[in-house]
Amino acid sequence: MNDVYRLLIIVGILAVQYFFSTRNNAYWGAVIPVAYIGISTWMFVTERIESTLGFILYLILGLLFLIAEWSAGRKSLHLKRNRELNKMKTHDMN
């Protein structure tokens, strides 16, 4: 697979992870990390990832990126809610 396509797929997955993380239910943000763990484990078991160290590094690095996107999405949702609450408080004062 071409490196550009791989990069586009990774960016797309991170964008979907961010989108899922901004939903009201925080568990949506766990869908892609759980799928990533499953796919990575399957690749290791079927020997598409040959070394144990490589598997562990891929797993940790991928999960770090996915958790970072989840955290950013949750912070964004929290800020959005606070802005809406401030708007409602401002309208109530008037």
Side-chain angles (χ1 to χ4, degrees):
M1 187 183 293
N2 193 353
D3 289 336
V4 174
Y5 291 127
R6 284 185 185 174
L7 181 64
L8 289 175
I9 290 170
I10 291 170
V11 169
I13 289 170
L14 290 174
V16 171
Q17 173 65 10
Y18 181 81
F19 174 75
F20 280 166
S21 298
T22 58
R23 303 300 93 197
N24 286 330
N25 191 346
Y27 293 118
W28 278 109
V31 171
I32 293 180
V34 169
Y36 178 73
I37 291 170
I39 291 169
S40 297
T41 303
W42 173 77
M43 288 176 68
F44 180 67
V45 169
T46 59
E47 297 179 359
R48 293 174 193 246
I49 301 175
E50 295 176 1
S51 77
T52 305
L53 181 63
F55 167 68
I56 292 170
L57 290 176
Y58 282 132
L59 195 63
I60 290 172
L61 187 63
L63 286 176
L64 284 175
F65 278 106
L66 291 171
I67 290 170
E69 286 298 312
W70 179 81
S71 177
R74 298 312 294 171
K75 286 179 185 176
S76 173
L77 179 65
H78 182 70
L79 289 173
K80 182 180 174 183
R81 285 180 179 168
N82 281 341
R83 275 187 253 131
E84 290 296 321
L85 284 173
N86 288 337
K87 283 180 187 179
M88 289 175 14
K89 286 178 185 177
T90 303
H91 287 306
D92 288 342
M93 291 177 149
N94 291 333

XYZ file of all heavy atoms in Angstrom:
772
model
N 0.856 -1.176 0.000
C 0.000 0.000 0.000
C 0.902 1.239 0.000
O 1.913 1.301 0.675
C -0.901 -0.008 1.238
C -1.937 1.090 1.226
S -2.953 1.166 2.710
C -3.879 -0.329 2.600
N 0.508 2.211 -0.752
C 1.271 3.446 -0.863
C 1.269 4.178 0.474
O 0.288 4.172 1.211
C 0.643 4.313 -1.964
C 1.533 5.446 -2.368
O 2.569 5.701 -1.765
N 1.133 6.143 -3.406
N 2.388 4.838 0.788
C 2.511 5.554 2.067
C 1.502 6.684 2.199
O 1.032 6.970 3.302
C 3.930 6.104 2.229
C 4.949 4.998 2.482
O 4.534 3.923 2.970
O 6.136 5.211 2.202
N 1.145 7.310 1.094
C 0.166 8.404 1.140
C -1.198 7.863 1.558
O -1.894 8.466 2.381
C 0.084 9.121 -0.228
C -1.019 10.156 -0.244
C 1.424 9.752 -0.579
N -1.561 6.715 1.018
C -2.843 6.102 1.378
C -2.856 5.684 2.846
O -3.863 5.845 3.536
C -3.160 4.912 0.484
C -3.458 5.296 -0.939
C -2.787 4.709 -1.994
C -4.415 6.262 -1.231
C -3.051 5.061 -3.303
C -4.694 6.625 -2.531
C -4.006 6.026 -3.567
O -4.283 6.390 -4.852
N -1.744 5.138 3.312
C -1.654 4.772 4.735
C -1.830 5.996 5.617
O -2.544 5.943 6.623
C -0.315 4.125 5.039
C -0.217 2.721 4.571
C 1.069 2.098 5.011
N 1.188 0.767 4.444
C 2.240 0.013 4.543
N 3.299 0.445 5.191
N 2.257 -1.184 4.006
N -1.188 7.080 5.247
C -1.298 8.310 6.027
C -2.737 8.831 6.016
O -3.262 9.238 7.055
C -0.354 9.384 5.484
C -0.354 10.710 6.223
C 0.140 10.523 7.655
C 0.489 11.718 5.492
N -3.387 8.784 4.865
C -4.780 9.226 4.777
C -5.707 8.344 5.609
O -6.638 8.842 6.248
C -5.237 9.250 3.318
C -4.625 10.360 2.457
C -5.056 10.191 1.003
C -5.005 11.725 2.972
N -5.449 7.049 5.619
C -6.257 6.139 6.429
C -6.062 6.436 7.906
O -7.032 6.501 8.673
C -5.920 4.669 6.098
C -6.436 4.321 4.703
C -6.496 3.718 7.146
C -5.959 2.985 4.186
N -4.835 6.664 8.334
C -4.549 6.978 9.740
C -5.213 8.283 10.140
O -5.842 8.371 11.203
C -3.028 7.013 9.983
C -2.452 5.594 9.874
C -2.699 7.615 11.342
C -0.940 5.539 9.849
N -5.106 9.293 9.296
C -5.738 10.582 9.590
C -7.258 10.415 9.656
O -7.916 10.978 10.535
C -5.332 11.642 8.537
C -6.163 12.897 8.656
C -3.851 11.980 8.691
N -7.819 9.638 8.751
C -9.263 9.386 8.772
C -9.704 8.669 10.039
O -10.723 9.021 10.644
N -8.936 7.677 10.464
C -9.272 6.952 11.692
C -9.189 7.881 12.894
O -10.061 7.852 13.776
C -8.352 5.724 11.862
C -8.711 4.663 10.824
C -8.441 5.147 13.273
C -7.731 3.511 10.743
N -8.174 8.731 12.946
C -8.060 9.676 14.059
C -9.199 10.694 14.048
O -9.696 11.092 15.103
C -6.700 10.374 14.038
C -5.506 9.488 14.394
C -4.204 10.259 14.206
C -5.615 8.935 15.793
N -9.641 11.086 12.858
C -10.772 12.015 12.769
C -12.056 11.358 13.263
O -12.844 11.975 13.989
C -10.944 12.494 11.326
N -12.271 10.100 12.901
C -13.447 9.374 13.373
C -13.368 9.190 14.885
O -14.365 9.333 15.592
C -13.590 8.020 12.641
C -14.666 7.157 13.268
C -13.891 8.248 11.171
N -12.173 8.913 15.400
C -11.993 8.765 16.845
C -12.334 10.071 17.553
O -13.009 10.071 18.585
C -10.554 8.348 17.158
C -10.200 8.314 18.619
C -10.955 7.278 19.417
O -11.638 6.436 18.872
N -10.843 7.361 20.726
N -11.904 11.189 17.001
C -12.225 12.491 17.601
C -13.738 12.735 17.568
O -14.324 13.189 18.544
C -11.501 13.602 16.850
C -11.757 14.975 17.420
C -11.056 15.420 18.525
C -12.708 15.820 16.862
C -11.292 16.677 19.063
C -12.957 17.065 17.392
C -12.239 17.489 18.486
O -12.484 18.722 19.026
N -14.367 12.403 16.444
C -15.812 12.572 16.317
C -16.553 11.725 17.344
O -17.460 12.202 18.019
C -16.269 12.205 14.902
C -17.755 12.211 14.733
C -18.451 13.405 14.645
C -18.469 11.017 14.685
C -19.833 13.418 14.498
C -19.839 11.016 14.538
C -20.523 12.221 14.451
N -16.180 10.444 17.455
C -16.823 9.569 18.440
C -16.622 10.099 19.861
O -17.492 9.959 20.710
C -16.279 8.149 18.357
C -16.866 7.324 17.244
C -16.265 6.135 16.873
C -18.000 7.711 16.555
C -16.790 5.349 15.863
C -18.533 6.950 15.550
C -17.926 5.754 15.205
N -15.464 10.694 20.119
C -15.158 11.179 21.465
C -15.953 12.419 21.837
O -16.065 12.736 23.019
C -13.667 11.476 21.579
O -12.927 10.302 21.369
N -16.491 13.118 20.864
C -17.263 14.323 21.159
C -18.747 14.022 21.334
O -19.539 14.947 21.523
C -17.094 15.381 20.045
O -17.509 14.821 18.805
C -15.661 15.867 19.954
N -19.132 12.762 21.281
C -20.526 12.391 21.503
C -20.831 12.428 23.009
O -19.939 12.372 23.839
C -20.829 10.989 20.979
C -20.526 10.766 19.493
C -21.292 11.666 18.572
N -20.472 12.859 18.290
C -20.930 13.984 17.786
N -22.195 14.151 17.499
N -20.132 14.999 17.558
N -22.113 12.544 23.351
C -22.503 12.627 24.754
C -22.077 11.399 25.552
O -21.663 11.517 26.694
C -24.015 12.824 24.884
C -24.429 14.225 24.506
O -23.668 15.167 24.666
N -25.640 14.352 23.987
N -22.194 10.236 24.972
C -21.793 9.016 25.646
C -20.298 8.794 25.438
O -19.839 8.619 24.307
C -22.590 7.830 25.107
C -22.429 6.589 25.925
O -21.532 6.489 26.758
N -23.303 5.633 25.692
N -19.538 8.777 26.509
C -18.082 8.651 26.415
C -17.644 7.294 25.888
O -16.523 7.149 25.398
C -17.448 8.903 27.776
N -18.515 6.294 25.959
C -18.144 4.956 25.522
C -17.950 4.851 24.005
O -17.283 3.927 23.541
C -19.184 3.930 25.980
C -19.205 3.786 27.480
C -20.341 4.091 28.210
C -18.076 3.369 28.173
C -20.362 3.968 29.585
C -18.079 3.243 29.543
C -19.224 3.545 30.248
O -19.228 3.426 31.609
N -18.516 5.761 23.243
C -18.282 5.751 21.798
C -16.798 5.905 21.493
O -16.307 5.389 20.488
C -19.065 6.849 21.096
C -20.487 6.476 20.838
C -21.588 6.981 21.455
C -20.965 5.515 19.901
N -22.724 6.393 20.959
C -22.369 5.483 20.003
C -20.344 4.672 18.994
C -23.147 4.648 19.221
C -21.130 3.833 18.217
C -22.515 3.833 18.342
N -16.092 6.618 22.355
C -14.655 6.805 22.156
C -13.849 5.539 22.361
O -12.661 5.502 22.030
N -14.460 4.489 22.891
C -13.755 3.224 23.118
C -13.891 2.266 21.942
O -13.200 1.249 21.899
C -14.273 2.559 24.378
N -14.734 2.581 20.981
C -14.987 1.662 19.861
C -13.715 1.430 19.043
O -13.314 0.285 18.811
C -16.124 2.192 18.963
C -16.247 1.381 17.683
C -17.432 2.210 19.733
N -13.074 2.481 18.620
C -11.904 2.335 17.752
C -10.705 1.759 18.512
O -10.019 0.884 17.971
C -11.583 3.659 17.039
C -12.710 3.964 16.057
C -10.241 3.580 16.311
C -12.545 5.229 15.278
N -10.406 2.193 19.743
C -9.293 1.544 20.452
C -9.491 0.041 20.665
O -8.549 -0.743 20.520
C -9.228 2.291 21.789
C -9.756 3.637 21.486
C -10.844 3.390 20.468
N -10.705 -0.372 20.980
C -10.967 -1.806 21.154
C -10.787 -2.535 19.817
O -10.185 -3.619 19.766
C -12.374 -2.041 21.741
C -12.773 -3.497 21.671
C -12.435 -1.525 23.169
N -11.277 -1.942 18.740
C -11.084 -2.537 17.410
C -9.597 -2.583 17.055
O -9.119 -3.576 16.481
C -11.864 -1.748 16.365
N -8.857 -1.545 17.410
C -7.418 -1.498 17.130
C -6.687 -2.609 17.879
O -5.815 -3.280 17.305
C -6.856 -0.128 17.513
C -5.373 -0.009 17.308
C -4.833 0.090 16.037
C -4.496 -0.012 18.384
C -3.470 0.190 15.836
C -3.142 0.086 18.202
C -2.626 0.185 16.933
O -1.274 0.272 16.740
N -7.046 -2.812 19.134
C -6.426 -3.886 19.913
C -6.746 -5.234 19.280
O -5.858 -6.090 19.131
C -6.896 -3.835 21.382
C -6.326 -2.602 22.069
C -6.496 -5.105 22.129
C -6.907 -2.331 23.441
N -7.997 -5.420 18.876
C -8.391 -6.677 18.248
C -7.667 -6.933 16.939
O -7.155 -8.033 16.701
N -7.607 -5.926 16.095
C -6.947 -6.081 14.790
C -5.456 -6.296 14.967
O -4.848 -7.135 14.296
C -7.253 -4.877 13.881
C -8.725 -4.895 13.476
C -6.357 -4.878 12.656
C -9.193 -3.622 12.798
N -4.841 -5.543 15.878
C -3.404 -5.703 16.126
C -3.088 -7.096 16.658
O -2.109 -7.718 16.243
C -2.907 -4.652 17.116
O -3.051 -3.371 16.590
N -3.907 -7.584 17.563
C -3.695 -8.924 18.110
C -3.875 -9.974 17.022
O -3.088 -10.926 16.931
C -4.665 -9.175 19.279
O -4.474 -8.154 20.261
C -4.444 -10.535 19.900
N -4.886 -9.791 16.183
C -5.097 -10.721 15.076
C -3.883 -10.723 14.141
O -3.432 -11.777 13.700
C -6.353 -10.337 14.306
C -6.549 -11.125 13.053
C -6.997 -12.403 12.942
C -6.264 -10.682 11.736
N -7.023 -12.789 11.624
C -6.575 -11.746 10.867
C -5.792 -9.489 11.203
C -6.411 -11.637 9.491
C -5.630 -9.386 9.834
C -5.939 -10.460 8.991
N -3.351 -9.537 13.853
C -2.172 -9.449 12.974
C -0.959 -10.136 13.606
O -0.152 -10.751 12.913
C -1.867 -7.992 12.651
C -2.869 -7.359 11.709
S -2.571 -5.612 11.420
C -1.056 -5.663 10.508
N -0.829 -10.034 14.922
C 0.287 -10.691 15.603
C 0.109 -12.210 15.593
O 1.060 -12.946 15.349
C 0.402 -10.158 17.037
C 1.515 -10.775 17.822
C 2.833 -10.540 17.482
C 1.243 -11.600 18.893
C 3.867 -11.112 18.197
C 2.264 -12.180 19.619
C 3.587 -11.937 19.273
N -1.100 -12.673 15.844
C -1.360 -14.113 15.885
C -1.179 -14.741 14.506
O -0.655 -15.851 14.386
C -2.778 -14.388 16.444
C -3.193 -15.837 16.248
C -2.847 -13.998 17.906
N -1.585 -14.034 13.461
C -1.430 -14.566 12.107
C -0.065 -14.234 11.507
O 0.155 -14.428 10.314
C -2.533 -14.026 11.178
O -2.461 -12.598 11.141
C -3.901 -14.485 11.636
N 0.833 -13.734 12.332
C 2.231 -13.453 11.990
C 2.401 -12.399 10.906
O 3.361 -12.424 10.145
C 2.957 -14.745 11.616
C 3.024 -15.733 12.755
C 3.725 -17.017 12.394
O 4.151 -17.165 11.228
O 3.842 -17.871 13.272
N 1.491 -11.456 10.843
C 1.694 -10.301 9.965
C 2.599 -9.292 10.658
O 3.244 -8.497 9.999
C 0.363 -9.671 9.591
C -0.457 -10.589 8.712
C -1.827 -10.037 8.460
N -2.670 -11.065 7.897
C -3.153 -11.024 6.667
N -2.899 -10.000 5.893
N -3.906 -12.001 6.240
N 2.598 -9.319 11.982
C 3.586 -8.608 12.787
C 4.439 -9.702 13.402
O 3.963 -10.497 14.209
C 2.927 -7.754 13.894
C 1.982 -6.722 13.293
C 3.993 -7.077 14.732
C 1.202 -5.935 14.326
N 5.704 -9.755 13.015
C 6.512 -10.916 13.351
C 7.138 -10.850 14.741
O 7.251 -11.861 15.408
C 7.586 -11.122 12.295
C 6.994 -11.471 10.936
C 8.041 -11.586 9.864
O 9.232 -11.406 10.168
O 7.653 -11.857 8.726
N 7.546 -9.678 15.184
C 8.247 -9.617 16.467
C 7.307 -9.182 17.584
O 6.410 -8.368 17.380
C 9.438 -8.661 16.384
O 9.015 -7.333 16.428
N 7.541 -9.724 18.752
C 6.743 -9.373 19.919
C 6.977 -7.922 20.301
O 6.030 -7.203 20.639
C 7.103 -10.295 21.100
O 6.950 -11.643 20.685
C 6.218 -10.028 22.302
N 8.222 -7.482 20.225
C 8.540 -6.090 20.551
C 7.852 -5.136 19.584
O 7.295 -4.113 19.996
C 10.050 -5.863 20.526
C 10.517 -4.458 20.871
C 10.129 -4.109 22.306
C 12.012 -4.345 20.680
N 7.839 -5.481 18.312
C 7.147 -4.659 17.318
C 5.662 -4.572 17.601
O 5.057 -3.502 17.505
N 5.054 -5.697 17.965
C 3.634 -5.732 18.311
C 3.348 -4.820 19.498
O 2.407 -4.024 19.471
C 3.216 -7.174 18.616
C 1.878 -7.292 19.287
C 0.718 -6.975 18.606
C 1.787 -7.720 20.596
C -0.520 -7.090 19.214
C 0.561 -7.840 21.220
C -0.593 -7.524 20.520
N 4.153 -4.935 20.532
C 3.948 -4.120 21.731
C 4.122 -2.634 21.415
O 3.324 -1.800 21.857
C 4.903 -4.575 22.858
C 4.497 -5.966 23.337
C 4.893 -3.596 24.020
C 5.501 -6.619 24.261
N 5.140 -2.300 20.635
C 5.363 -0.894 20.279
C 4.232 -0.340 19.419
O 3.773 0.784 19.646
C 6.706 -0.734 19.571
C 7.937 -0.923 20.453
C 9.208 -0.841 19.617
C 7.973 0.103 21.571
N 3.786 -1.111 18.428
C 2.647 -0.684 17.605
C 1.404 -0.478 18.454
O 0.676 0.497 18.306
C 2.322 -1.704 16.505
C 3.217 -1.673 15.303
C 3.755 -2.849 14.790
C 3.509 -0.481 14.661
C 4.568 -2.832 13.688
C 4.330 -0.449 13.556
C 4.855 -1.627 13.065
O 5.660 -1.601 11.967
N 1.176 -1.407 19.362
C 0.001 -1.335 20.220
C 0.042 -0.104 21.118
O -0.924 0.657 21.189
C -0.102 -2.616 21.047
C -1.417 -2.891 21.734
C -2.510 -3.063 20.688
C -1.314 -4.127 22.592
N 1.168 0.121 21.782
C 1.287 1.261 22.694
C 1.212 2.580 21.936
O 0.492 3.493 22.342
C 2.585 1.155 23.513
C 2.481 0.002 24.515
C 2.886 2.457 24.249
C 3.768 -0.308 25.237
N 1.944 2.686 20.839
C 1.951 3.938 20.074
C 0.570 4.255 19.501
O 0.088 5.384 19.602
C 2.981 3.860 18.946
C 3.221 5.144 18.169
C 3.786 6.217 19.086
C 4.165 4.884 17.019
N -0.079 3.257 18.942
C -1.419 3.466 18.393
C -2.414 3.860 19.461
O -3.222 4.775 19.281
N -2.368 3.179 20.600
C -3.283 3.511 21.688
C -3.019 4.898 22.251
O -3.955 5.603 22.632
C -3.202 2.455 22.789
C -3.870 1.126 22.464
C -3.634 0.126 23.583
C -5.353 1.308 22.217
N -1.760 5.304 22.293
C -1.454 6.667 22.759
C -2.096 7.717 21.864
O -2.685 8.685 22.354
C 0.060 6.884 22.836
C 0.774 6.245 24.013
C 2.277 6.451 23.892
C 0.268 6.811 25.321
N -2.004 7.521 20.558
C -2.636 8.466 19.633
C -4.157 8.448 19.769
O -4.801 9.504 19.786
C -2.245 8.164 18.187
C -0.914 8.724 17.788
C 0.180 7.895 17.631
C -0.752 10.077 17.592
C 1.412 8.405 17.274
C 0.472 10.613 17.228
C 1.566 9.768 17.070
N -4.737 7.273 19.878
C -6.189 7.174 20.003
C -6.687 7.763 21.317
O -7.713 8.449 21.350
C -6.636 5.715 19.860
C -6.468 5.116 18.460
C -6.720 3.621 18.489
C -7.371 5.812 17.464
N -5.955 7.535 22.396
C -6.348 8.102 23.690
C -6.173 9.611 23.689
O -6.979 10.332 24.280
C -5.560 7.418 24.827
C -6.044 5.976 24.976
C -5.701 8.169 26.138
C -5.182 5.122 25.891
N -5.150 10.101 23.002
C -4.965 11.557 22.896
C -6.141 12.189 22.154
O -6.628 13.260 22.548
C -3.655 11.874 22.189
N -6.610 11.552 21.093
C -7.769 12.063 20.361
C -9.027 11.992 21.220
O -9.857 12.889 21.189
C -7.981 11.284 19.060
C -6.980 11.608 17.994
C -7.025 13.059 17.568
O -8.118 13.589 17.295
O -5.956 13.682 17.521
N -9.166 10.922 21.996
C -10.315 10.788 22.886
C -10.304 11.911 23.916
O -11.328 12.539 24.162
C -10.290 9.427 23.580
C -11.427 9.230 24.516
C -12.706 8.847 24.202
C -11.416 9.429 25.930
N -13.476 8.792 25.337
C -12.703 9.141 26.414
C -10.434 9.811 26.834
C -13.030 9.229 27.760
C -10.756 9.902 28.173
C -12.047 9.616 28.617
N -9.146 12.172 24.492
C -9.028 13.230 25.496
C -9.343 14.597 24.897
O -10.062 15.400 25.509
C -7.619 13.214 26.083
O -7.449 14.247 27.004
N -8.836 14.857 23.704
C -9.113 16.139 23.037
C -10.601 16.280 22.728
O -11.180 17.362 22.895
C -8.289 16.252 21.754
N -11.229 15.210 22.305
C -12.666 15.247 22.014
C -13.496 15.488 23.259
O -14.461 16.253 23.240
N -13.136 14.853 24.369
C -13.871 15.059 25.619
C -13.702 16.484 26.129
O -14.645 17.095 26.624
C -13.420 14.054 26.695
C -13.666 12.612 26.361
C -15.048 12.286 25.862
N -16.072 12.492 26.873
C -17.376 12.446 26.630
N -17.813 12.193 25.417
N -18.235 12.650 27.583
N -12.489 17.032 25.999
C -12.253 18.426 26.411
C -13.069 19.382 25.551
O -13.637 20.343 26.059
C -10.771 18.771 26.313
C -9.937 18.164 27.409
C -8.477 18.511 27.247
C -7.638 17.785 28.287
N -6.202 18.023 28.094
N -13.123 19.107 24.262
C -13.905 19.935 23.354
C -15.381 19.904 23.727
O -16.049 20.949 23.743
C -13.715 19.458 21.918
O -14.574 20.125 21.047
N -15.897 18.729 24.024
C -17.298 18.602 24.428
C -17.558 19.349 25.728
O -18.560 20.052 25.856
C -17.675 17.132 24.593
C -19.114 16.852 25.032
C -20.093 17.313 23.964
C -19.288 15.378 25.348
N -16.638 19.235 26.672
C -16.785 19.924 27.957
C -16.795 21.449 27.761
O -17.627 22.150 28.343
C -15.648 19.518 28.896
C -15.724 20.120 30.244
N -16.684 19.764 31.167
C -14.969 21.086 30.830
C -16.507 20.477 32.258
N -15.473 21.285 32.084
N -15.893 21.953 26.915
C -15.861 23.391 26.644
C -17.135 23.861 25.944
O -17.668 24.933 26.254
C -14.633 23.751 25.804
C -13.300 23.672 26.515
C -12.159 23.878 25.522
C -13.229 24.707 27.627
N -17.627 23.057 25.026
C -18.862 23.396 24.304
C -20.035 23.468 25.270
O -20.853 24.397 25.212
C -19.126 22.360 23.220
C -20.352 22.630 22.386
C -20.533 21.537 21.342
C -21.832 21.721 20.597
N -22.068 20.639 19.634
N -20.124 22.504 26.173
C -21.192 22.521 27.175
C -21.084 23.741 28.084
O -22.097 24.371 28.413
C -21.142 21.257 28.021
C -21.649 20.040 27.326
C -21.569 18.853 28.228
N -22.082 17.657 27.578
C -21.925 16.446 28.057
N -21.266 16.243 29.182
N -22.420 15.408 27.410
N -19.870 24.072 28.512
C -19.696 25.247 29.374
C -20.091 26.533 28.660
O -20.693 27.424 29.273
C -18.256 25.337 29.869
C -17.988 24.384 31.012
O -18.914 23.909 31.665
N -16.722 24.093 31.243
N -19.738 26.644 27.379
C -20.133 27.838 26.620
C -21.651 27.942 26.535
O -22.215 29.036 26.668
C -19.525 27.805 25.218
C -18.115 28.361 25.183
C -17.613 28.480 23.758
N -16.633 27.392 23.622
C -16.579 26.525 22.645
N -17.428 26.593 21.646
N -15.667 25.585 22.625
N -22.318 26.819 26.293
C -23.777 26.822 26.231
C -24.391 27.195 27.580
O -25.366 27.949 27.639
C -24.298 25.459 25.774
C -24.015 25.143 24.324
C -24.724 26.097 23.376
O -25.880 26.470 23.630
O -24.102 26.467 22.367
N -23.838 26.684 28.667
C -24.337 27.038 29.992
C -24.143 28.517 30.281
O -25.021 29.170 30.859
C -23.635 26.203 31.067
C -24.099 24.769 31.197
C -23.209 24.016 32.181
C -25.539 24.713 31.658
N -23.006 29.061 29.879
C -22.762 30.491 30.074
C -23.742 31.336 29.270
O -24.216 32.375 29.745
C -21.318 30.847 29.717
C -20.335 30.340 30.744
O -20.693 30.108 31.896
N -19.091 30.151 30.331
N -24.062 30.898 28.055
C -25.040 31.611 27.250
C -26.412 31.583 27.924
O -27.120 32.598 27.965
C -25.164 30.984 25.858
C -24.049 31.321 24.910
C -24.288 30.640 23.574
C -23.125 30.801 22.641
N -23.342 30.117 21.354
N -26.779 30.422 28.452
C -28.077 30.304 29.126
C -28.113 31.176 30.376
O -29.119 31.826 30.655
C -28.364 28.844 29.468
C -28.657 28.021 28.250
S -28.896 26.222 28.442
C -29.113 25.912 30.122
N -27.024 31.233 31.117
C -26.972 32.074 32.320
C -27.064 33.539 31.954
O -27.713 34.316 32.635
C -25.676 31.825 33.093
C -25.661 30.496 33.830
C -24.344 30.295 34.531
C -24.262 28.914 35.161
N -22.944 28.681 35.782
N -26.421 33.925 30.853
C -26.463 35.308 30.399
C -27.887 35.683 29.998
O -28.365 36.772 30.328
C -25.509 35.521 29.210
O -24.186 35.130 29.602
C -25.503 36.956 28.750
N -28.589 34.807 29.293
C -29.965 35.078 28.896
C -30.886 35.132 30.097
O -31.870 35.892 30.101
C -30.464 34.025 27.894
C -29.871 34.169 26.542
N -29.899 35.341 25.815
C -29.206 33.286 25.758
C -29.291 35.169 24.674
N -28.854 33.924 24.598
N -30.628 34.325 31.117
C -31.440 34.343 32.325
C -31.275 35.640 33.095
O -32.214 36.109 33.748
C -31.110 33.172 33.241
C -31.607 31.850 32.683
O -32.490 31.897 31.784
O -31.133 30.800 33.137
N -30.101 36.254 33.032
C -29.841 37.506 33.734
C -30.586 38.669 33.104
O -30.912 39.624 33.764
C -28.361 37.819 33.794
C -27.563 36.908 34.665
S -25.845 37.369 34.563
C -25.306 36.904 36.183
N -30.833 38.571 31.821
C -31.488 39.677 31.113
C -32.947 39.664 31.313
O -33.819 39.367 31.679
C -31.208 39.619 29.612
C -29.752 39.919 29.332
O -29.105 40.608 30.107
N -29.258 39.382 28.259
